[in-house]
Structures are given as structure tokens and as C-alpha cells.
Amino acid sequence: MEHSEQRIKIAVQKTGRLTDHSIDLLERCGLKVTKSKDQLICYGENMPIDLLLVRDDDIPGLVSDDVCDLGIVGLNVAEEKRLKLEQDGSKGLFKQIFELEFGHCRLSIAAPDDVEYAGPESLENTKIATSYVAILTDYLNRNNINAEPVFFSGAVEIAPKLGRADFICDLVSSGGTLAANGLREVEVLLESEAVVIQTLAPLGDEKQALVNKILQRLDGVLKVRDSKYIMLHAPRAALAEIRALLPGSEAPTVMPLEGSDDRVAFHAVCRENVFWETLENLKAAGASSLLVLPVEKMLA
Ligand code: PRT
Ligand code: ZN
């Protein structure tokens, strides 16, 4: 094993909504780890990268304190920590370096169905229950609203029923939880998704090179997620129409077909999913022998 100083530590949520996606993404980047989720640390078998499995709320702190070099966490959690440090007069010692396109949700203010809401001025002199006191305080300050955040560590949506608050500020995804509790979304404070954060402590050339390599691989994995490789035969005259039917297909390879003056083979990477309808339209445009394959990796 290489010297531990040169190993990258990545903080990842131990069990929760981000866990499987985070580990799956890192595995797609080529990392093999021992899988046991009961452990606090998963050692990388084939790269000098170890995963620290922790509660998501602890991730920005671990990265800020340089216990971990990188962390994968919801932007909502990272922003809450950054603003909290800022409001306490210290500086967040981490930076956000990459968006991972999963864990999408929004941090929103919601109002009980029977309470009128005419815009942010309706929040004046009210109590708002939330686990995100720093983000909410920042929003209220920026909008010159005088309202009182009331800290709830969970089950925020029942606060109005308990008479503890007038509004709530919580994460929303489908909106089902709000609806089930007689609440409706009235203001979006933050659009969130999972992000990679990095410590501001200098990593040294070797570690930074490894971080850059992981980021480049992550970029490659995300780029091909919906990509398809499409192969077809078509009359040369139909190529313009065929390209127009395949959005995101740059510079296709066009090859002559043995024994045919007119028909060619066309291969292209398509940056979007290729649906049955597209295939039917391609066929109508003169294409035949259509084949669509998934793309596993891409390095530009
Ligand atoms: O134990 P640990 O502290 O690590 O986990 P946790 O319970 O704090 O977090 P977890 O696993 O629930 O969520 C981790 C991250 O997932 C969050 O910080 C967000 O970045 C992201 N995420 C995405 C969500 C949601 N979608 C989400 N819908 N986090 C929570 N919710 C909850 C929300 O709080 C509300 O209770 O789901 C409910 C609303 O969902 P809908 O679909 O009914 O609107
Ligand atoms: Zn948490």
C-alpha cells in the first residue's frame, strides 16, 4: 500500500439517498472498494483512494477540517455549513468543484393550504420551522424580511399542525410529503443536487493530480450517461436528414458499403437517448440495419 499521506480520502454518505449513487459513480470511475457498509472506512483496492462513510451532515466539516480531501454531499448541506461558518464569522474551508447530476431536490418554503400567501411579505413577523436555519436566515436577510427561524431537526412538516410555526422551510422532491401534510410550496430558496467538495488545504502535486484524474473520469461518466452509439445504413442523399434526426451526434463516421455506390454505413455517438420514435423516423428517412448500443466510457 502506498504511504497514507498520498492516499485521497473521500467522505461519502454512509446510508441514505446519496449512498448508492455516490459509490456507483466512483466505481464507474474505476475505483474498486471493499463493499462492507458497516465499516467507517472502505479501502480502495486498485487506486490510492479510501472512502469515509459518515452522516451527510458531517461531510462538509470533515472536508473543511482537512480530515477528508473530497466529499460527495447535497448542495443543501454544503451551503448550510458554508453559511453557518460565515454567519459565525469564520470561513468555510472547502470549495464546491463538481455537480454530479443526482440527488436533485429544492429547499423551499411551504405554507399550510388554508393560509394565504401573497409573496415574501406574507412571511413578515411569522415563525418558520426548518433544519436549514443558516440558508433560511440568509434568505430572510437578503430580502429584508423580519421572521423567526425555528429549528426542527426532523419532521419539519408537522410544525404548523403543532402550532410551533406558521410556515416551514424543507427539502422538496416530488411534493408528495407536503401535499400529504396539507402544505404547498410557495418559495424556492435553493435548487440542490449532489456535488463534490474539496478542502481548501493545499493537496500537494501528487494528490491534486489524482483529484484531477477523478474529476476527468467523473466528467466522462456523466457525459455518456444518456449517450448511445448508433449504427445504420442509409442512402448518401439521406444523410443530412438523418443527422437532423439525431441531436447531439457530432462528426459521424460515414463509410462506403461494399458493393453499393449509393448506400453508406453511418456511425455516431448520440448525446441523448435514442427513442423508438427516432428509430422509426430514421427508417422512414431511408435508413436500414439500425443498431443502438450503450456507451460505457468516453474520453474527449
Ligand atoms: O443519516 P444522514 O444524516 O446521512 O441522512 P439524512 O436523513 O440527513 O439524508 P437523506 O439520505 O434523507 O438525504 C440526503 C440528501 O439527499 C439530502 O441532503 C438532499 O441533498 C438529497 N435529497 C433529494 C433529499 C430529497 N431528495 C428528499 N426528498 N433529501 C430529503 N428528502 C426528503 C425531504 O426532507 C422530505 O421529508 O423527502 C421528503 C420530501 O420528498 P417528496 O418527494 O415527498 O417531496
Ligand atoms: Zn443528514
Side-chain angles (χ1 to χ4, degrees), residues 13-19 54-57 73-77 103-106 132 157 170-178 192-194:
Q13 190 185 25
K14 187 176 169 66
T15 29
R17 290 168 200 260
L18 305 181
T19 307
V54 293
R55 288 202 56 187
D56 67 344
D57 315 73
V73 69
L75 179 62
N76 49 304
V77 173
H104 288 277
C105 58
R106 31 196 205 281
Y132 293 87
E157 59 280 353
D170 197 13
L171 297 177
V172 185
S173 170
S174 66
T177 304
L178 291 184
S192 183
E193 67 186 284

Side-chain angles (χ1 to χ4, degrees), residues 283-295:
K283 201 166 160 52
S288 62
S289 306
L290 292 131
L291 203 56
V292 180
L293 305 171
V295 177

